[in-house]
Amino acid sequence: MSVIPVNVIFPHTSLWETTHTDSHKHKRVPPPERVCVGGVKLLWEDLSPTCLKFPPLLFSAIPGQRLFCFPAMPALWRFMLFWICVCIWLPAQGALVVSRKGALTQETKEAMGPRSIKKRSTNSANMMEVYSVKVDCTVTSRFAHTVMTSKARNKANVSQEIFFEVELPKTAFIANFSMEIEGQVYVGEVKGKEKAKKQYEKAVSSGQTAGLVKASGRNMETFSVSVNIAAKSNVSFILTYEELLQRKLGQYEILTRVKPKQPVQEFQIVVNIFEPQGIDFVEATATFLSNELLPLVEKTVTDTKAHISFSPTLEQQRKCPGCEGNIIDGDFIIKYDVKRAKDLGAVQIVNGYFVHFFAPPDLARVPKNVVFVIDRSGSMSGRKIDQTRDAMVAILEDLHEEDNFALILFDSSIVTWRDFLTKATKGNVTNAITYIKKLKDRGSTNINDAVLKAVEMLKRERGKKNLPERSTDMIILLTDGMPNVGESNTPKLQENVRSAIGGNMSLFCLGFGNDVVFSFLDVMAKENNGLARRIFEGSDAAIQLQGFYEEVSSPLLLEVDLRYPDSAVGFLTKNHYSQLFNGTEIVVAGRLKDNNLDNFLVEVFAQGPKEDFLVQGQASVLDLDVIYPEQEYIFRNFSERLWAYLTIQQLLEKSEIGSQQEKENAKAKALDMSLQYSFVTPLTSMVVTKPETEDGPDSPLIADKLTEAQRQEAERNGGLSSSQGSSSRGSSSRGSSSRGSSSRGSSSRGSSSRGSSSRGSSSRGSSSRGGSSDADGDPHFMIELPDKDDALCFDINDKPGTIFNLVKDPKSGFVVNGQIIGKKKVKEDGNFKTYFGRFGIVHKKLGVQLDVSTQHISVFYNGKQVKLLWSDTASIKETDMDLRLSKNSSLTVTLRHSVKFMVIRHTKVWKRRHDQQDYLGFYTLDSHHLSASVHGLLGQFYHGVGFEVTDLRPDEVQEKLDATMYVKGHTINVTRHWQKDFSRDVKNGENIPCWFINEDGAGLIDGRALDYIVSGLFKATF
């Protein structure tokens, strides 16, 4: 007999839960007095009256659930009724997010916009158990083959939808995905992107949504899939991906991020490394390892093989005895390197393919002549310019005395430190550091003239023989924006640079932040023997800059040419490289024409610092059965797949440069090979046909490979992938393991949505945006959680003139108070909208005070007073303060080592009424320096806020989405709203969907709204 779920509610005597469909009319029931069969804590005081909420199957004539209340039920009957209900409820077991299918209409999904929402079926999610999570990685000669497996069972009597999510490196190719449901296997099929797109569009046109791969963090991408599982059924998810590990700074790294969330009966990470060249060292660690877990990391290393495993028991995974939380939450990291043979390197021939690894040890450095071209335009203001300054100081200090260098700063104009390259003596470096420490932002962005100036400088010095003959010339360009002065047509600019360089030097491009189009820099670098790298805005930006420089700071060989007999080898990958840098490795692979290896001569030619480098040797077949006699070799075709992977990667690069015909040829070859080897690349998609449900055939899943341009566009849109133009589908780190970083996201197909904000360190428009808190418009307050792809908003209305404390930090004495004003026109019912009309901002330690109103701005600092009008354009730079006023739009203030914020002035115009309203918005851009005790209506969220959204339900009356939110120990009703964020687009703003909390943010904010009222614009109680 199937069990009928019954929700039991014991409201407080003075509070009644109504059955209105409008969530705004629901009266909030404080969680301590609210008892739901579903795990909420109980208090037995004041348990009258009793209410029962019955499912529709008991009352078919009554739509939805019906609430029945019994005001005078005796306590004994209430007690018995409660335990009857508890007995039919089973405890939560699921680790994967589970949801009922089809709970949202398509119209409701579309209304929710690009930010998607997760829904959990609170009655059925408890019956899903994830009992196995495994990561199995086999590395053979640097080629990694990773299989991630997750198994779950549906213990319920009804079908349920399960979400599976893993993360993989953006450099990896998905090679296979399959689902096994009750013995039936569903396997993904790789198709050309155009064919897959047609299948995708067909699914969308039929009212279905398709799954996708989306960007995740800086170096990862997330694969997520959902499937409907019948009652009492099991499911297995298996994802396979492959990549060639890159050697950086003298080592290879295998990073696996695991976030099972709840203890799993069978949890296992196994990594086997086979390196016939010989293993030099292996290190294994994890960010979550405690003293108790450390002995569980087992490592066995022989001359050519390493075995690493980590298999904690169910109890060892718990954060504490009896706890449901899992201590395993973070990165499992393996670093290793191989033994290096001098001169020729290692040539391995396996199953008709060869691979040559070239990175000889103990080579002397080649001197370099480097011109640093640094963007100092206005967009570099604040933390960017500070971090660039800090990074450049460290980079200059790292120069070797035999190096030559120059500094070019550019904005609208071009400025050189010296008009020639300078020897990197101690004195010259000290003078350059003094110069770079004065770096300040100004003007626009003239990339064309700045790079051409660097080229001209290197050519002139080379022509005058002022540079060593055996040295390498390179330009390192750092910019955060697109060209808007001089030559601003990017194809023409790229052509100018390519023509000027003429293949005689290397150009390395660093794109700082998200305003510069990375693909523009990437093509320009590849066309000129260099590479491009994104520098993400964040507290570690200076470290990123230094890390990139460290990778290219020590060239060992120039013009490296690796040669193989034409009669023996075909389909060769790239075999000429401009430089070999210290700590890296050159890899060349090819296919053998026949098995006659008697004349397989390998030669390497290059230029060293003092003489030419020339080595040659005979290659031989690698017999893996002899090297690993006791190992059943499970990856025999690794050499062929390594060759295919490397070939496709290089063809994809060629498809971006050269003539149109060359691009098309490279693209066509890459597509053919991607299909042949079933790799998901930017040219292909994996299509997974899901099993049929009671409702008929379900939509196919479409897994894409994102380009860097798509990743950047996704970040600009708040972290969502633009793949196939679709909205985000279900994602969950519950019960999943992943290579890389993970965040708990959301889904348009119903699952649990949990959000938590990182500390409010945020740079608008960057990929590293953490949680940010804004006060603007109506609703007044919005807490953006871009890492979680969600936002919270609430309104606090009071009479005009009321002053609220927004931020207060006792440690620094930083305070922000906001005074509200009323709309000029009052409605007939006496209600009126309110806005912020004035801000009082003070930083006691720095001696700064600002009074910002809709008319003017008064600035007090260092005993001085400056009064500015919004019609002004102004800039104030002091040691501890950087203030920028843009005419009639925004004020941006950076307080050194403290906080960065923006105040925006709006003018709302009602043309029909010939009326307008001026008001202000406050945006926190960077708050990571503020102390842990920061508070206020906004400040309290700089720490982060954890919440869970469940029970999503369309509101047919208002055509909005209602839901239940669990936050800070409270259960509250919320509604999906839209709110404008003007921090990136001051004029038009960006529509942000958010969960609106009623009743002055009750349950979300600490205490009551009245607690935040202060008596004066600069008052604060610490």
Side-chain angles (χ1 to χ4, degrees), residues 708-842:
E708 197 63 38
Q710 288 174 317
R711 294 175 64 89
Q712 189 177 36
E713 182 64 25
E715 291 163 13
R716 291 193 181 113
N717 293 333
L720 292 180
S721 168
S722 58
S723 172
Q724 301 272 21
S726 71
S727 63
S728 168
R729 210 178 144 78
S731 67
S732 167
S733 56
R734 291 171 151 195
S736 71
S737 55
S738 55
R739 287 274 302 276
S741 63
S742 173
S743 64
R744 303 176 80 169
S746 57
S747 167
S748 59
R749 285 284 304 270
S751 74
S752 175
S753 173
R754 296 192 178 215
S756 64
S757 161
S758 59
R759 193 166 155 74
S761 166
S762 169
S763 296
R764 298 273 172 170
S766 76
S767 64
S768 61
R769 289 179 68 193
S772 62
S773 305
D774 313 328
D776 199 353
D778 189 5
H780 288 120
F781 302 93
M782 181 165 62
I783 316 303
E784 290 190 69
L785 311 169
D787 289 343
K788 310 307 170 192
D789 191 29
D790 220 334
L792 309 176
C793 54
F794 59 96
D795 196 0
I796 295 180
N797 279 314
D798 209 298
K799 60 181 181 295
T802 303
I803 302 173
F804 288 101
N805 173 250
L806 306 184
V807 184
K808 60 177 181 180
D809 181 18
K811 187 173 181 181
S812 64
F814 178 66
V815 175
V816 181
N817 292 329
Q819 185 177 45
I820 60 175
I821 57 175
K823 186 178 177 181
K824 293 179 181 179
K825 187 175 179 63
V826 180
K827 293 183 179 179
E828 293 180 1
D829 59 5
N831 294 325
F832 50 83
K833 285 191 174 183
T834 58
Y835 306 89
F836 279 109
R838 190 177 176 191
F839 291 119
I841 304 164
V842 61

Side-chain angles (χ1 to χ4, degrees), residues 64 72 88 106 196 268 356 435 446 779 1010 1019:
I88 65 172
Q106 184 67 19
Q268 188 177 65
H356 184 188
Y435 177 79
N446 188 347
L1010 296 177
K1019 297 287 185 179

Side-chain angles (χ1 to χ4, degrees), residues 203-487:
V204 172
S205 65
S206 64
Q208 301 169 323
T209 55
L212 54 92
V213 172
K214 61 182 178 180
S216 176
R218 299 174 181 178
N219 300 306
M220 310 297 293
E221 53 194 28
T222 302
F223 174 88
S224 58
V225 59
S226 70
V227 63
N228 194 276
I229 304 300
K232 307 297 183 182
S233 297
N234 293 340
V235 59
S236 296
F237 299 100
I238 305 173
L239 178 72
T240 303
Y241 61 86
E242 297 173 347
E243 66 171 326
L244 179 63
L245 300 178
Q246 296 180 4
R247 188 172 186 250
K248 291 184 179 180
L249 303 176
Q251 61 188 14
Y252 309 96
E253 181 179 278
I254 308 166
L255 187 148
T256 304
R257 178 158 293 173
V258 284
K259 287 180 172 289
K261 299 303 176 188
Q262 294 181 354
V264 179
Q265 189 67 42
E266 185 180 32
F267 180 89
Q268 188 177 65
I269 299 175
V270 176
V271 179
N272 287 296
I273 302 173
F274 300 94
E275 290 290 355
Q277 194 172 332
I279 295 176
D280 185 34
F281 73 87
V282 177
E283 297 174 354
T285 186
T287 57
F288 51 79
L289 283 183
S290 61
N291 291 334
E292 291 76 17
L293 292 179
L294 190 60
L296 301 181
V297 179
E298 298 181 0
K299 182 175 70 172
T300 304
V301 182
T302 63
D303 184 41
T304 59
K305 179 185 174 184
H307 174 83
I308 303 97
S309 65
F310 177 64
S311 304
T313 65
L314 191 71
E315 292 305 314
Q316 288 170 332
Q317 296 172 46
R318 300 187 190 277
K319 289 184 177 180
C320 59
C323 294
E324 283 301 310
N326 198 324
I327 196 174
I328 300 171
D329 186 350
D331 299 335
F332 191 82
I333 305 166
I334 297 173
K335 297 179 180 180
Y336 79 96
D337 197 16
V338 300
K339 296 177 181 177
R340 302 282 161 186
K342 289 190 176 182
D343 303 333
L344 186 63
V347 182
Q348 301 174 5
I349 299 176
V350 180
N351 295 334
Y353 290 82
F354 87 92
V355 58
H356 184 188
F357 300 101
F358 181 71
D362 306 323
L363 293 178
R365 293 178 66 260
V366 174
K368 64 179 180 293
N369 313 303
V370 55
V371 181
F372 298 98
V373 182
I374 310 299
D375 185 348
R376 64 168 185 179
S377 60
S379 57
M380 287 284 290
S381 65
R383 186 162 67 161
K384 285 189 202 173
I385 206 77
D386 291 340
Q387 292 173 324
T388 300
R389 199 183 296 119
D390 294 341
M392 282 303 304
V393 168
I395 288 171
L396 290 171
E397 289 175 342
D398 193 53
L399 289 169
H400 294 261
E401 286 212 5
E402 64 268 25
D403 293 336
N404 294 275
F405 73 101
L407 299 172
I408 295 178
L409 311 181
F410 73 95
D411 47 82
S412 311
S413 57
I414 314 301
V415 177
T416 60
W417 171 53
R418 295 175 180 173
D419 200 30
F420 52 88
L421 275 83
T422 304
K423 200 79 171 175
T425 63
K426 187 174 182 180
N428 287 335
V429 168
T430 301
N431 292 335
I433 289 175
T434 302
Y435 177 79
I436 210 70
K437 283 183 176 179
K438 298 176 183 178
L439 179 63
K440 294 184 179 181
D441 56 281
R442 44 162 285 181
S444 301
T445 309
N446 188 347
I447 295 176
N448 183 79
D449 292 353
V451 176
L452 294 185
K453 177 67 176 178
V455 174
E456 183 269 330
M457 189 182 291
L458 282 166
K459 283 184 174 180
R460 185 180 67 243
E461 295 296 293
R462 181 67 71 178
K464 292 181 177 180
K465 301 189 182 301
N466 291 336
L467 305 176
E469 182 180 352
R470 287 183 177 270
S471 62
T472 184
D473 300 340
M474 62 174 66
I475 299 168
I476 297 180
L477 166 67
L478 170 66
T479 182
D480 78 327
M482 296 299 287
N484 53 20
V485 173
E487 182 56 72

Side-chain angles (χ1 to χ4, degrees), residues 662-694:
E662 289 172 334
K663 292 178 183 179
E664 291 177 0
N665 290 341
K667 187 175 181 179
K669 291 178 182 177
L671 174 59
D672 288 342
M673 290 192 65
S674 298
L675 294 172
Q676 181 182 350
Y677 289 93
S678 295
F679 280 139
V680 178
T681 71
L683 304 177
T684 58
S685 299
M686 178 171 284
V687 179
V688 181
T689 302
K690 297 165 65 175
E692 290 194 12
T693 65
E694 298 93 342

